[in-house]
Amino acid sequence: MEEIKDIIKKHYQIVFDNEDLLLEAFTHSSYVNEHRQLNLKHNERIEFLGDAVLEVVVSEFLFHQYPEWNEGKLTRLRAQIVCEPSLAAFAKECSFDQYIRLGKGEERMNGRHRPALLCDLFEAFIGALFLDKGMEAAKKFIYQVVLPKIKEDAFSHAMDYKTLLQEELQKDGDIQIQYRTVLEEGPSHAKSFEIEVYANDKLLGTGKGTSKKSAEQNAAQMALKKIVKK
Amino acid sequence: MEEIKDIIKKHYQIVFDNEDLLLEAFTHSSYVNEHRQLNLKHNERIEFLGDAVLEVVVSEFLFHQYPEWNEGKLTRLRAQIVCEPSLAAFAKECSFDQYIRLGKGEERMNGRHRPALLCDLFEAFIGALFLDKGMEAAKKFIYQVVLPKIKEDAFSHAMDYKTLLQEELQKDGDIQIQYRTVLEEGPSHAKSFEIEVYANDKLLGTGKGTSKKSAEQNAAQMALKKIVKK
């Protein structure tokens, strides 16, 4: 407990008024279950809150940062930022993983490195910060830790619709994905392409573009929309 | 446009500084598509933002309102509040449906009464309010319109896990759900029950309770968790 206090003071200039909230954020349910007599609180309730706080801060940032993007693209990037692997990585980057209190079983099962647990921890910390110091303080922390990565384009892979489509389709087992050029016209300096994407020979989407690459991306994006709506 | 300004001023004492934002919230994409030469903005981007604002305000409220609830129960109630049918009903309650600008096709297709469209409109209004006046103003509006319903227990059906389970399972077609009492013990004033729930003879969950009713609810809750995780 002393150490996590020091860490967040040193790195983020945060000093909690109510240290119980900080402790709650760093207490996993497995620890509570092993110490029932202590009547502790685990971090799941404040994680519920932190999750929503993180979402609104990231949404506002993206909204202003990308004024030309439509809501589909914004939603996709947000989902890549506010997702388990990303948030688990942030928790590690902040060294939070070293300070969470786990039960012995969870510790043995390598829980300290489990992405879901670290993701919850990160959100719980944001929830605790929000409760202790309000929205502006939570926002400041998120701007310090999460948002620089967005500017560095660390999530740009999120915009690769072909990869996303492949991942999405292969959730349900092996599927053959094929891109077929159905139109190629115009002079060499102003070509235009139309490409269709098929999954196991079923047409999923069509895309146009001035290159094969961009037409494929657009076809994949349309296919993704169709799948996600189902 | 004049009318919606009057409505929100009269009922919610809200006067927008930037009226373009209000107009944007009340402009459906179908209207923009039919008036391309006007270069209008439709409400989908600010709906993206409003959705997150609504979520955090409702989350904070629930967190404080139900200090004894675990995050599963909080999440479930939040999902019942921040969902299409509820938000569409709020949009109608605020008379927002009368003022959204639709394309002719959408109007003919009864778009003005379509829950998805009304839900988006409600969230877009919250997004516009947040952009124009900040989080506290958005919060005040949500506290005026949405949260009284929570206190009135208008969402209490959300806690009926048996109904939720049934709805969830029957999405995939007709399924036979059965609750079987597997244990009934203790003296009449302190009975305890254990009940299993089956869908088409497959065991989905087990629940304990001091009454059959509560054991069934617990079994349904466990089954729901299992299904949702899939």
Side-chain angles (χ1 to χ4, degrees):
Chain A
M1 179 62 181
E2 283 313 310
E3 288 127 327
I4 185 61
K5 270 172 55 186
D6 296 343
I7 291 273
I8 61 167
K9 187 175 173 188
K10 189 171 156 203
H11 292 164
Y12 311 108
Q13 298 77 52
I14 297 169
V15 179
F16 270 70
D17 290 317
N18 179 358
E19 290 185 356
D20 288 348
L21 286 170
L22 184 61
L23 199 60
E24 188 173 332
F26 280 85
T27 304
H28 188 252
S29 56
S30 61
Y31 188 87
V32 173
N33 291 337
E34 278 188 13
H35 300 83
R36 287 194 185 277
Q37 72 288 0
L38 297 180
N39 220 350
L40 297 168
K41 285 181 179 177
H42 58 65
N43 66 8
E44 292 175 11
R45 287 187 89 247
I46 48 176
E47 178 241 316
F48 163 85
L49 192 54
D51 169 77
V53 171
L54 181 61
E55 180 122 338
V56 79
V57 172
V58 171
S59 300
E60 189 189 3
F61 175 83
L62 295 179
F63 181 88
H64 292 297
Q65 181 78 3
Y66 302 105
E68 300 305 323
W69 284 18
N70 67 25
E71 70 298 342
K73 217 166 163 182
L74 293 171
T75 303
R76 191 170 301 283
L77 180 53
R78 181 177 67 188
Q80 288 287 324
I81 298 163
V82 186
C83 71
E84 197 177 284
S86 303
L87 302 186
F90 289 129
K92 285 214 163 189
E93 198 184 300
C94 297
S95 307
F96 287 175
D97 55 323
Q98 296 171 41
Y99 302 105
I100 182 154
R101 305 196 292 179
L102 300 178
K104 290 198 191 77
E106 188 66 51
E107 189 76 84
R108 247 193 326 266
M109 301 284 284
N110 227 3
R112 194 170 292 280
H113 305 287
R114 201 154 52 81
L117 187 147
L118 294 174
C119 164
D120 291 350
L121 170 58
F122 189 73
E123 293 182 329
F125 175 75
I126 289 170
L129 186 56
F130 171 77
L131 286 171
D132 195 60
K133 302 231 167 294
M135 183 59 96
E136 283 309 307
K139 199 165 157 176
K140 191 177 158 204
F141 173 76
I142 295 165
Y143 269 67
Q144 248 177 303
V145 175
V146 177
L147 301 185
K149 299 278 173 191
I150 302 177
K151 291 186 187 155
E152 287 164 17
D153 234 12
F155 300 98
S156 60
H157 64 283
M159 295 300 114
D160 175 5
Y161 294 110
K162 282 182 70 177
T163 308
L164 287 173
L165 179 63
Q166 193 177 342
E167 286 169 4
E168 193 60 37
L169 287 171
Q170 292 183 344
K171 272 185 196 165
D172 306 323
D174 234 17
I175 282 184
Q176 214 207 332
I177 303 166
Q178 223 189 4
Y179 290 86
R180 297 181 197 159
T181 306
V182 289
L183 189 79
E184 183 176 338
E185 60 180 11
S188 62
H189 65 279
K191 281 226 183 272
S192 101
F193 296 87
E194 189 172 330
I195 284 179
E196 293 176 344
V197 56
Y198 292 80
N200 287 350
D201 287 321
K202 197 185 148 202
L203 178 64
L204 284 188
T206 309
K208 291 179 182 175
T210 54
S211 69
K212 279 200 182 179
K213 205 177 152 190
S214 71
E216 283 178 359
Q217 284 290 336
N218 290 331
Q221 186 179 7
M222 188 207 252
L224 270 166
K225 271 193 192 162
K226 206 164 158 183
I227 293 170
V228 172
K229 269 192 190 161
K230 271 201 308 193
Chain B
M1 179 61 183
E2 284 312 309
E3 287 127 327
I4 185 61
K5 271 171 56 185
D6 296 344
I7 290 273
I8 62 169
K9 186 174 173 188
K10 187 173 159 202
H11 293 163
Y12 310 109
Q13 297 78 50
I14 296 170
V15 179
F16 270 69
D17 291 316
N18 178 358
E19 290 186 356
D20 288 347
L21 287 170
L22 184 60
L23 199 59
E24 189 174 331
F26 281 83
T27 304
H28 188 253
S29 56
S30 62
Y31 188 86
V32 173
N33 291 338
E34 280 188 12
H35 301 82
R36 286 195 185 276
Q37 71 288 3
L38 298 179
N39 221 352
L40 297 168
K41 287 181 177 178
H42 58 65
N43 65 10
E44 292 176 11
R45 288 188 89 246
I46 48 175
E47 178 241 316
F48 164 84
L49 192 54
D51 169 78
V53 171
L54 181 62
E55 180 122 339
V56 78
V57 171
V58 172
S59 299
E60 189 189 2
F61 175 83
L62 295 178
F63 181 89
H64 292 297
Q65 181 78 0
Y66 302 106
E68 301 305 322
W69 282 19
N70 67 25
E71 69 297 343
K73 218 166 161 181
L74 293 171
T75 303
R76 190 170 302 283
L77 181 53
R78 182 177 64 188
Q80 289 286 324
I81 298 162
V82 187
C83 71
E84 196 176 286
S86 303
L87 301 187
F90 289 128
K92 286 212 162 193
E93 198 183 300
C94 297
S95 308
F96 286 177
D97 55 324
Q98 296 171 41
Y99 302 105
I100 183 155
R101 304 195 293 178
L102 300 178
K104 291 199 191 78
E106 188 66 51
E107 189 77 81
R108 249 192 327 266
M109 300 283 285
N110 227 4
R112 195 171 290 281
H113 305 288
R114 202 155 50 83
L117 187 149
L118 295 173
C119 164
D120 292 349
L121 169 60
F122 190 73
E123 292 182 330
F125 176 75
I126 289 171
L129 186 56
F130 172 76
L131 286 170
D132 195 62
K133 302 231 166 295
M135 183 60 96
E136 283 310 307
K139 199 165 158 176
K140 193 178 157 204
F141 173 76
I142 296 165
Y143 269 67
Q144 248 178 302
V145 174
V146 177
L147 301 184
K149 300 277 173 188
I150 303 177
K151 291 186 186 152
E152 285 164 17
D153 235 13
F155 301 98
S156 60
H157 63 282
M159 296 298 115
D160 175 5
Y161 294 110
K162 282 181 70 177
T163 307
L164 287 173
L165 178 63
Q166 194 177 340
E167 286 169 3
E168 193 59 38
L169 288 171
Q170 291 182 343
K171 273 186 197 165
D172 306 323
D174 234 17
I175 283 184
Q176 214 207 332
I177 304 166
Q178 222 189 7
Y179 290 86
R180 297 180 197 159
T181 306
V182 290
L183 189 79
E184 181 175 342
E185 61 180 11
S188 61
H189 64 280
K191 280 227 182 271
S192 102
F193 296 87
E194 188 172 330
I195 282 178
E196 293 175 344
V197 56
Y198 292 81
N200 286 350
D201 286 323
K202 198 183 147 201
L203 178 63
L204 285 189
T206 311
K208 290 179 183 176
T210 53
S211 70
K212 278 197 182 182
K213 203 178 153 188
S214 71
E216 283 178 357
Q217 284 291 339
N218 290 331
Q221 186 179 8
M222 188 206 253
L224 269 166
K225 273 192 192 162
K226 207 166 158 181
I227 292 170
V228 173
K229 268 190 191 160
K230 270 202 308 192

